[in-house]
């Protein structure tokens, strides 16, 4: 008796990947929601105290906006990695779970940054968390590059390498800001803006072709 043909599954429809995507979506949603807990103004305040409390909440709003933007980018990058993921290995799955654990932790350093932005430890801890998540995502891309794009000369493979370089540059910028925080916390936070030209350069420079 012949066995029925085995159903061929693409990587994004393998049994493990949908579960990882569902898990990651849930963790990202919870982390993004918990960020707003740090933004609060006490009730039943007189006018003068209300305006003071509102001004005091501005750092929390700023930290919320920064972390929400970065987590949204992490979520987008994470889905981009997972939807192209080949058959999961133990190492890849553990790296994914490590990244999700770091994302779930982000409301804590975000709250510290909002309340203690002048303290080097708070800025360094926030930068460390951001650097670690970017490093995990870049490592995932490196580990699965050949499985996803066997031909290194293909445009898709080149785009994936640019993506990896952008994530690595983010890890580098946040990593360099850690020692800088112990010299000047404001300079360390302003240094994070280096992500913008770094991502733009790495995303566009390799696409240029010499003119004939």
């Amino acid at each position: 008796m012949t066995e029925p043909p085995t159903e061929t599954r693409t990587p994004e429809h393998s049994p493990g990947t949908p579960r990882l995507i569902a898990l990651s979506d849930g963790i990202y949603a919870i982390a993004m929601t918990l960020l707003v807990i740090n933004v609060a103004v006490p009730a039943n305040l007189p006018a003068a105290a209300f305006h003071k409390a509102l001004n005091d909440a501005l750092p929390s709003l700023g930290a919320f906006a920064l972390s929400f933007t970065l987590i949204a980018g992490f979520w987008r990058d994470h889905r981009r990695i997972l939807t192209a993921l080949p058959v999961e290995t133990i190492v890849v799955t553990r790296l994914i779970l490590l990244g999700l654990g770091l994302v779930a932790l982000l409301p804590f350093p975000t709250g510290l940054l909002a309340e203690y932005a002048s303290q080097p430890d708070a800025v360094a801890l926030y930068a460390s968390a951001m650097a670690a998540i970017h490093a995990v995502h870049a490592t995932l891309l490196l580990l699965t590059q050949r499985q996803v794009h066997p031909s290194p000369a293909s445009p898709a493979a080149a785009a994936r390498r640019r993506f990896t370089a952008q994530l690595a540059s983010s890890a580098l910028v946040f990593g360099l800001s850690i020692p800088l925080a112990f010299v000047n916390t404001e300079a360390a936070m302003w240094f994070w803006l280096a992500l913008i030209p770094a991502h733009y350069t790495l995303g566009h420079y390799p696409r240029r072709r010499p003119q004939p």
Side-chain angles (χ1 to χ4, degrees):
M1 181 177 179
T2 59
E3 295 182 358
T6 303
E7 181 182 1
T8 302
R9 293 178 180 267
T10 57
E12 57 267 30
H13 294 97
S14 64
T17 303
R19 292 191 181 98
L20 286 173
I21 291 176
L23 175 63
S24 65
D25 285 349
I27 289 176
Y28 275 96
I30 292 171
M32 295 167 86
T33 303
L34 289 178
L35 292 175
V36 79
I37 292 178
N38 297 316
V39 183
V41 174
N44 303 317
L45 293 175
F50 166 74
H51 287 98
K52 182 180 184 304
L54 193 60
N55 288 331
D56 291 342
L58 290 179
S60 295
L61 282 172
F64 165 80
L66 174 62
S67 290
F68 190 93
T69 301
L70 288 169
I71 292 179
F74 288 144
W75 173 77
R76 178 199 61 203
D77 296 343
H78 197 70
R79 285 190 67 92
R80 181 176 173 183
I81 294 168
L82 285 181
T83 53
L85 193 67
V87 178
E88 297 93 338
T89 65
I90 294 177
V91 173
V92 169
T93 301
R94 286 177 177 174
L95 274 174
I96 291 171
L97 293 175
L98 173 60
L100 292 176
L102 291 169
V103 168
L105 185 65
L106 279 181
F108 172 62
T110 300
L112 286 181
L113 185 69
E115 296 294 334
Y116 302 101
S118 61
Q119 297 298 317
D121 291 343
V123 177
L125 180 61
Y126 186 86
S128 298
M130 291 299 173
I133 296 172
H134 281 107
V136 168
H137 286 179
T139 304
L140 281 170
L141 287 170
L142 287 172
L143 287 177
T144 58
Q145 174 76 17
R146 291 187 178 181
Q147 289 84 354
V148 175
H149 299 296
S151 174
S154 67
R160 189 178 175 90
R161 287 194 296 271
R162 287 195 296 270
F163 182 30
T164 305
Q166 288 175 326
L167 292 177
S169 70
S170 296
L172 179 63
V173 168
F174 279 111
L176 290 175
S177 73
I178 296 171
L180 182 58
F182 292 94
V183 178
N184 188 310
T185 55
E186 288 188 9
M189 290 185 284
W190 281 109
F191 185 67
W192 297 340
L193 292 177
L195 292 170
I196 299 173
H199 278 214
Y200 180 84
T201 301
L202 292 170
H204 291 79
Y205 179 77
R207 298 179 183 178
R208 299 173 184 170
R209 296 289 185 270
Q211 298 296 327

